[in-house]
Amino acid sequence: MTMTKEMIDAVEKDLVFLATSSKEGIPNVVPIGFARPIDDETILIADNYMNKTRKNLEENPNISLVTKDATKCPFQFKGKIEIVESGKYFDIVTEWGQNAMTKLTPKAAILMKVEEIYSIQPGPDAGKKIG
């Protein structure tokens, strides 16, 4: 699924919230500060502190990501992930971590392939599939 510039900007600008589920269906939602689109169909996410989230991703590759500001850029992205622990994308998230004030050392890069996009704008179109 192709993201528009507005959607890409919404992911890049602020925190996003990442929802996962265990193989038993137990949900987990966490704020993520290191998530950036790398093209119009893929979002790169740094695994800096993931514990329950990482376990869930290993058991169930389906995720949902929501942008923070529901009044300006309100989107929900759904897709599947790949966990990468070396190579180009791991190097990118490692660089993000080293450039952060806290000098993070990421454990992995998570590549999310966007498969569906929904509006979460409050009002009559809330939940409408837009991509």
Side-chain angles (χ1 to χ4, degrees), residues 2 5 14 22 35-36 42 52 65 67 74 80 84 97 100 113 115 128 131:
T2 304
K5 177 163 178 16
D14 207 339
S22 70
R36 303 288 179 272
T42 312
K52 282 186 287 186
L65 184 145
T67 55
K80 290 194 177 8
V84 180
K113 188 56 116 181
E115 296 175 346
K128 180 180 177 185

PDB file of all heavy atoms in Angstrom, residues 2 5 14 22 35-36 42 52 65 67 74 80 84 97 100 113 115 128 131:
ATOM      1  N   THR A   2       0.563   2.204  -0.780  1.00  0.00           N
ATOM      2  CA  THR A   2       1.384   3.400  -0.937  1.00  0.00           C
ATOM      3  C   THR A   2       0.957   4.515   0.019  1.00  0.00           C
ATOM      4  O   THR A   2      -0.219   4.890   0.064  1.00  0.00           O
ATOM      5  CB  THR A   2       1.304   3.918  -2.388  1.00  0.00           C
ATOM      6  OG1 THR A   2       1.694   2.859  -3.261  1.00  0.00           O
ATOM      7  CG2 THR A   2       2.194   5.115  -2.602  1.00  0.00           C
ATOM      8  N   LYS A   5       2.595  11.743   0.920  1.00  0.00           N
ATOM      9  CA  LYS A   5       3.554  12.601   1.625  1.00  0.00           C
ATOM     10  C   LYS A   5       3.009  12.984   3.005  1.00  0.00           C
ATOM     11  O   LYS A   5       3.745  12.988   3.981  1.00  0.00           O
ATOM     12  CB  LYS A   5       3.882  13.843   0.815  1.00  0.00           C
ATOM     13  CG  LYS A   5       4.821  14.785   1.580  1.00  0.00           C
ATOM     14  CD  LYS A   5       5.481  15.790   0.711  1.00  0.00           C
ATOM     15  CE  LYS A   5       6.377  16.777   1.425  1.00  0.00           C
ATOM     16  NZ  LYS A   5       6.819  16.514   2.766  1.00  0.00           N
ATOM     17  N   ASP A  14       6.651  12.784  14.869  1.00  0.00           N
ATOM     18  CA  ASP A  14       6.410  12.669  16.304  1.00  0.00           C
ATOM     19  C   ASP A  14       6.416  11.202  16.719  1.00  0.00           C
ATOM     20  O   ASP A  14       6.728  10.328  15.919  1.00  0.00           O
ATOM     21  CB  ASP A  14       5.041  13.296  16.629  1.00  0.00           C
ATOM     22  CG  ASP A  14       4.957  13.825  18.049  1.00  0.00           C
ATOM     23  OD1 ASP A  14       5.744  13.394  18.913  1.00  0.00           O
ATOM     24  OD2 ASP A  14       4.086  14.668  18.302  1.00  0.00           O
ATOM     25  N   SER A  22       0.109 -11.047  21.090  1.00  0.00           N
ATOM     26  CA  SER A  22       0.772 -12.342  21.280  1.00  0.00           C
ATOM     27  C   SER A  22       0.048 -13.408  20.464  1.00  0.00           C
ATOM     28  O   SER A  22      -1.043 -13.166  19.936  1.00  0.00           O
ATOM     29  CB  SER A  22       0.752 -12.731  22.764  1.00  0.00           C
ATOM     30  OG  SER A  22      -0.573 -13.042  23.156  1.00  0.00           O
ATOM     31  N   ALA A  35      10.751   5.755  14.482  1.00  0.00           N
ATOM     32  CA  ALA A  35      10.049   5.125  13.362  1.00  0.00           C
ATOM     33  C   ALA A  35      10.075   6.111  12.205  1.00  0.00           C
ATOM     34  O   ALA A  35       9.716   7.281  12.376  1.00  0.00           O
ATOM     35  CB  ALA A  35       8.617   4.787  13.743  1.00  0.00           C
ATOM     36  N   ARG A  36      10.531   5.652  11.045  1.00  0.00           N
ATOM     37  CA  ARG A  36      10.618   6.518   9.874  1.00  0.00           C
ATOM     38  C   ARG A  36      10.298   5.715   8.614  1.00  0.00           C
ATOM     39  O   ARG A  36      10.801   4.597   8.448  1.00  0.00           O
ATOM     40  CB  ARG A  36      12.032   7.089   9.693  1.00  0.00           C
ATOM     41  CG  ARG A  36      12.589   7.867  10.862  1.00  0.00           C
ATOM     42  CD  ARG A  36      11.918   9.223  11.026  1.00  0.00           C
ATOM     43  NE  ARG A  36      12.441   9.941  12.170  1.00  0.00           N
ATOM     44  CZ  ARG A  36      12.000   9.852  13.410  1.00  0.00           C
ATOM     45  NH1 ARG A  36      11.027   9.040  13.700  1.00  0.00           N
ATOM     46  NH2 ARG A  36      12.524  10.563  14.382  1.00  0.00           N
ATOM     47  N   THR A  42       7.067   1.220   3.197  1.00  0.00           N
ATOM     48  CA  THR A  42       7.787   0.558   4.285  1.00  0.00           C
ATOM     49  C   THR A  42       8.155   1.548   5.389  1.00  0.00           C
ATOM     50  O   THR A  42       8.647   2.630   5.106  1.00  0.00           O
ATOM     51  CB  THR A  42       9.083  -0.092   3.754  1.00  0.00           C
ATOM     52  OG1 THR A  42       8.791  -0.846   2.580  1.00  0.00           O
ATOM     53  CG2 THR A  42       9.707  -0.994   4.794  1.00  0.00           C
ATOM     54  N   LYS A  52       8.022  -7.153  25.641  1.00  0.00           N
ATOM     55  CA  LYS A  52       6.771  -7.802  25.252  1.00  0.00           C
ATOM     56  C   LYS A  52       6.515  -7.618  23.760  1.00  0.00           C
ATOM     57  O   LYS A  52       6.097  -8.550  23.082  1.00  0.00           O
ATOM     58  CB  LYS A  52       5.584  -7.220  26.040  1.00  0.00           C
ATOM     59  CG  LYS A  52       5.459  -7.731  27.438  1.00  0.00           C
ATOM     60  CD  LYS A  52       4.183  -7.221  28.099  1.00  0.00           C
ATOM     61  CE  LYS A  52       4.361  -5.751  28.429  1.00  0.00           C
ATOM     62  NZ  LYS A  52       3.280  -5.161  29.182  1.00  0.00           N
ATOM     63  N   LEU A  65       0.164   0.514  13.504  1.00  0.00           N
ATOM     64  CA  LEU A  65       0.884   1.704  13.949  1.00  0.00           C
ATOM     65  C   LEU A  65      -0.058   2.891  13.768  1.00  0.00           C
ATOM     66  O   LEU A  65      -0.701   3.027  12.714  1.00  0.00           O
ATOM     67  CB  LEU A  65       2.140   1.864  13.089  1.00  0.00           C
ATOM     68  CG  LEU A  65       3.088   2.987  13.439  1.00  0.00           C
ATOM     69  CD1 LEU A  65       4.520   2.529  13.171  1.00  0.00           C
ATOM     70  CD2 LEU A  65       2.788   4.212  12.614  1.00  0.00           C
ATOM     71  N   THR A  67      -0.480   7.186  14.193  1.00  0.00           N
ATOM     72  CA  THR A  67       0.212   8.459  14.388  1.00  0.00           C
ATOM     73  C   THR A  67      -0.396   9.184  15.580  1.00  0.00           C
ATOM     74  O   THR A  67      -1.568   8.981  15.915  1.00  0.00           O
ATOM     75  CB  THR A  67       0.156   9.324  13.118  1.00  0.00           C
ATOM     76  OG1 THR A  67      -1.209   9.495  12.704  1.00  0.00           O
ATOM     77  CG2 THR A  67       0.934   8.682  11.986  1.00  0.00           C
ATOM     78  N   PRO A  74      -4.134  12.126  11.160  1.00  0.00           N
ATOM     79  CA  PRO A  74      -4.643  10.947  11.850  1.00  0.00           C
ATOM     80  C   PRO A  74      -4.669   9.687  10.975  1.00  0.00           C
ATOM     81  O   PRO A  74      -5.564   9.509  10.159  1.00  0.00           O
ATOM     82  CB  PRO A  74      -6.061  11.369  12.199  1.00  0.00           C
ATOM     83  CG  PRO A  74      -6.444  12.302  11.087  1.00  0.00           C
ATOM     84  CD  PRO A  74      -5.179  12.969  10.647  1.00  0.00           C
ATOM     85  N   LYS A  80       2.658  -6.262   8.043  1.00  0.00           N
ATOM     86  CA  LYS A  80       3.488  -7.339   8.583  1.00  0.00           C
ATOM     87  C   LYS A  80       4.923  -6.845   8.707  1.00  0.00           C
ATOM     88  O   LYS A  80       5.331  -5.922   8.010  1.00  0.00           O
ATOM     89  CB  LYS A  80       3.431  -8.559   7.679  1.00  0.00           C
ATOM     90  CG  LYS A  80       2.080  -9.266   7.699  1.00  0.00           C
ATOM     91  CD  LYS A  80       2.193 -10.619   7.060  1.00  0.00           C
ATOM     92  CE  LYS A  80       0.948 -11.452   7.085  1.00  0.00           C
ATOM     93  NZ  LYS A  80      -0.268 -10.929   7.518  1.00  0.00           N
ATOM     94  N   VAL A  84      15.248  -7.507  11.623  1.00  0.00           N
ATOM     95  CA  VAL A  84      16.580  -7.511  11.009  1.00  0.00           C
ATOM     96  C   VAL A  84      17.620  -7.175  12.078  1.00  0.00           C
ATOM     97  O   VAL A  84      17.514  -6.145  12.744  1.00  0.00           O
ATOM     98  CB  VAL A  84      16.647  -6.479   9.857  1.00  0.00           C
ATOM     99  CG1 VAL A  84      18.010  -6.460   9.218  1.00  0.00           C
ATOM    100  CG2 VAL A  84      15.559  -6.740   8.828  1.00  0.00           C
ATOM    101  N   GLY A  97      20.307   5.690  16.939  1.00  0.00           N
ATOM    102  CA  GLY A  97      20.562   5.552  18.369  1.00  0.00           C
ATOM    103  C   GLY A  97      21.806   6.292  18.810  1.00  0.00           C
ATOM    104  O   GLY A  97      21.824   6.934  19.861  1.00  0.00           O
ATOM    105  N   ALA A 100      21.183  10.001  19.062  1.00  0.00           N
ATOM    106  CA  ALA A 100      20.248  10.436  20.106  1.00  0.00           C
ATOM    107  C   ALA A 100      21.038  10.905  21.313  1.00  0.00           C
ATOM    108  O   ALA A 100      22.150  10.460  21.564  1.00  0.00           O
ATOM    109  CB  ALA A 100      19.327   9.285  20.494  1.00  0.00           C
ATOM    110  N   LYS A 113       5.988  -3.622   6.427  1.00  0.00           N
ATOM    111  CA  LYS A 113       5.436  -3.460   5.086  1.00  0.00           C
ATOM    112  C   LYS A 113       3.979  -3.053   5.252  1.00  0.00           C
ATOM    113  O   LYS A 113       3.163  -3.811   5.780  1.00  0.00           O
ATOM    114  CB  LYS A 113       5.555  -4.763   4.305  1.00  0.00           C
ATOM    115  CG  LYS A 113       5.189  -4.625   2.860  1.00  0.00           C
ATOM    116  CD  LYS A 113       6.013  -3.569   2.184  1.00  0.00           C
ATOM    117  CE  LYS A 113       6.883  -4.097   1.106  1.00  0.00           C
ATOM    118  NZ  LYS A 113       7.687  -3.120   0.454  1.00  0.00           N
ATOM    119  N   GLU A 115       0.285  -2.610   4.575  1.00  0.00           N
ATOM    120  CA  GLU A 115      -0.683  -3.332   3.749  1.00  0.00           C
ATOM    121  C   GLU A 115      -2.040  -2.645   3.691  1.00  0.00           C
ATOM    122  O   GLU A 115      -2.769  -2.787   2.728  1.00  0.00           O
ATOM    123  CB  GLU A 115      -0.845  -4.767   4.267  1.00  0.00           C
ATOM    124  CG  GLU A 115       0.444  -5.572   4.156  1.00  0.00           C
ATOM    125  CD  GLU A 115       0.335  -6.953   4.778  1.00  0.00           C
ATOM    126  OE1 GLU A 115      -0.630  -7.224   5.537  1.00  0.00           O
ATOM    127  OE2 GLU A 115       1.228  -7.775   4.497  1.00  0.00           O
ATOM    128  N   LYS A 128     -12.417   4.687   8.454  1.00  0.00           N
ATOM    129  CA  LYS A 128     -12.590   4.435   7.021  1.00  0.00           C
ATOM    130  C   LYS A 128     -11.253   4.011   6.390  1.00  0.00           C
ATOM    131  O   LYS A 128     -10.231   4.665   6.599  1.00  0.00           O
ATOM    132  CB  LYS A 128     -13.102   5.698   6.329  1.00  0.00           C
ATOM    133  CG  LYS A 128     -13.320   5.531   4.837  1.00  0.00           C
ATOM    134  CD  LYS A 128     -13.833   6.809   4.218  1.00  0.00           C
ATOM    135  CE  LYS A 128     -13.960   6.631   2.714  1.00  0.00           C
ATOM    136  NZ  LYS A 128     -14.332   7.900   2.078  1.00  0.00           N
ATOM    137  N   GLY A 131      -6.579   3.273   2.114  1.00  0.00           N
ATOM    138  CA  GLY A 131      -5.505   2.733   1.288  1.00  0.00           C
ATOM    139  C   GLY A 131      -5.287   1.276   1.545  1.00  0.00           C
ATOM    140  O   GLY A 131      -5.822   0.669   2.431  1.00  0.00           O
TER     141      GLY A 131
END
